């Protein structure tokens, strides 16, 4: 059964990845054959929304957003692995399935950091499905637990470079909490890379981005997950620089994946709603 403590956001992201395979036309931005499985008994219900209303701005934007950020991060991870990186950290891993579906998982040690309730649910629904490589679940309640201690206790080596993915989380945190995480990651080994996404503020979004926020943010707040932080590209770059990152690159949805993936006949479009940032610990 789905835990009452499981993030609604995690479920919606998994539903968007699952629906991408069924609703959108080739080429797929990301192929996630396990996403529907992770939805357990709610799979049919949640995917049906996309199947019935796939062209709706909110639903098509959600599918684009979650697939683009995962594809961009995993492409950067492939490049990092080619340079010898062997550690991949997913902060707020939610129902990400990388460790169980990607051949690249065989070449890195994966550390999934999230709330214990989310991890308990995820392990239960994936029972009998083996990870492709090594995956360690790091149970961290960010309000009371130390991120660095949790990772080190789980076998993470902060003296060796890693790639850290942080997806779909920053808008739910206040600035102090964001800075606490950046302070920890910024003290990892030089060469460690961070790929994160953040919601853009009003004035930096396009009309579709504004419409998405107007439609989704109030619903998220009513569900107990209010959006607290919107960051401009300049504000995000400043936060990263303050915590020891360099080579900061801001990437919009259009530029985040190969251009051929946007030559589409379905409703997926690159929208200026959120921004990916790729930075390196100096």
């Amino acid at each position: 059964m789905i835990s009452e403590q499981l993030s609604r956001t995690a479920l919606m992201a998994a539903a968007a990845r699952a629906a991408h395979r069924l609703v959108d036309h080739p080429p797929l931005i990301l192929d996630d054959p396990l996403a529907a499985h992770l939805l357990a008994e709610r799979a049919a219900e949640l995917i049906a929304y996309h199947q019935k209303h796939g062209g709706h701005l909110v639903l098509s934007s959600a599918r684009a957003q979650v697939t683009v950020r995962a594809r961009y991060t995993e492409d950067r991870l492939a490049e990092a692995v080619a340079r010898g990186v062997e550690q991949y950290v997913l902060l707020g891993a939610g129902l990400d399935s990388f460790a169980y579906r990607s051949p690249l998982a065989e070449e890195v040690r994966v550390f999934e950091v999230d709330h214990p309730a989310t991890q308990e649910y995820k392990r239960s629904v994936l029972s009998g499905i083996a990870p492709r490589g090594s995956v360690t679940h790091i149970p961290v309640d960010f309000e009371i637990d130390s991120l660095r201690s949790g990772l080190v206790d789980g076998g993470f080596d902060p003296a060796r470079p890693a790639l850290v993915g942080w997806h779909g989380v920053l808008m739910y945190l206040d600035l102090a909490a964001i800075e606490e995480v950046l302070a920890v990651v910024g003290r990892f080994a030089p060469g460690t890379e961070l790929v994160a996404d953040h919601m853009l503020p009003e004035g930096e979004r396009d009309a579709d981005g504004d419409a998405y926020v107007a439609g989704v943010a109030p619903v998220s707040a009513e569900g107990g997950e209010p959006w607290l932080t919107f960051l401009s590209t300049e504000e995000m770059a400043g936060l990263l620089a303050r915590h020891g990152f360099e080579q900061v690159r801001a990437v919009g949805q259009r530029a985040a994946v190969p251009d051929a993936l946007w030559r589409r006949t379905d409703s997926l479009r690159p929208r200026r709603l959120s921004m990916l940032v790729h930075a390196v610990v100096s």
Side-chain angles (χ1 to χ4, degrees), residues 137-158:
H137 296 276
I138 309 294
V140 171
D141 184 333
F142 288 98
E143 294 183 357
I144 58 177
D145 298 324
S146 165
L147 171 59
R148 183 182 179 91
S149 296
L151 280 166
V152 171
D153 290 347
F156 176 76
D157 185 354

Side-chain angles (χ1 to χ4, degrees), residues 118-139:
T118 299
Q119 294 186 332
E120 180 183 358
Y121 165 81
K122 187 173 183 177
R123 284 195 295 266
S124 70
V125 297
L126 289 175
S127 177
I129 300 177
R132 298 290 298 260
S134 169
V135 57
T136 302
H137 296 276
I138 309 294

Side-chain angles (χ1 to χ4, degrees), residues 73 76-81 83-91 107-111 113 148 151 155-166 184-195 245 278-282:
T73 304
R76 302 293 76 73
L77 179 62
E79 295 169 354
V81 167
R83 295 192 298 271
V85 170
E86 297 177 339
Q87 300 183 109
Y88 180 35
V89 179
L90 278 165
L91 300 177
E107 303 188 47
V108 290
R109 185 167 183 185
V110 180
F111 298 88
V113 181
R148 183 182 179 91
L151 280 166
F156 176 76
D157 185 354
R160 299 170 60 201
L163 189 138
V164 179
W166 197 14
V184 172
V185 178
R187 292 194 295 270
F188 289 169
T192 291
E193 299 173 62
L194 171 70
V195 179
F245 292 87
H278 181 203
V280 180
V281 175
S282 61

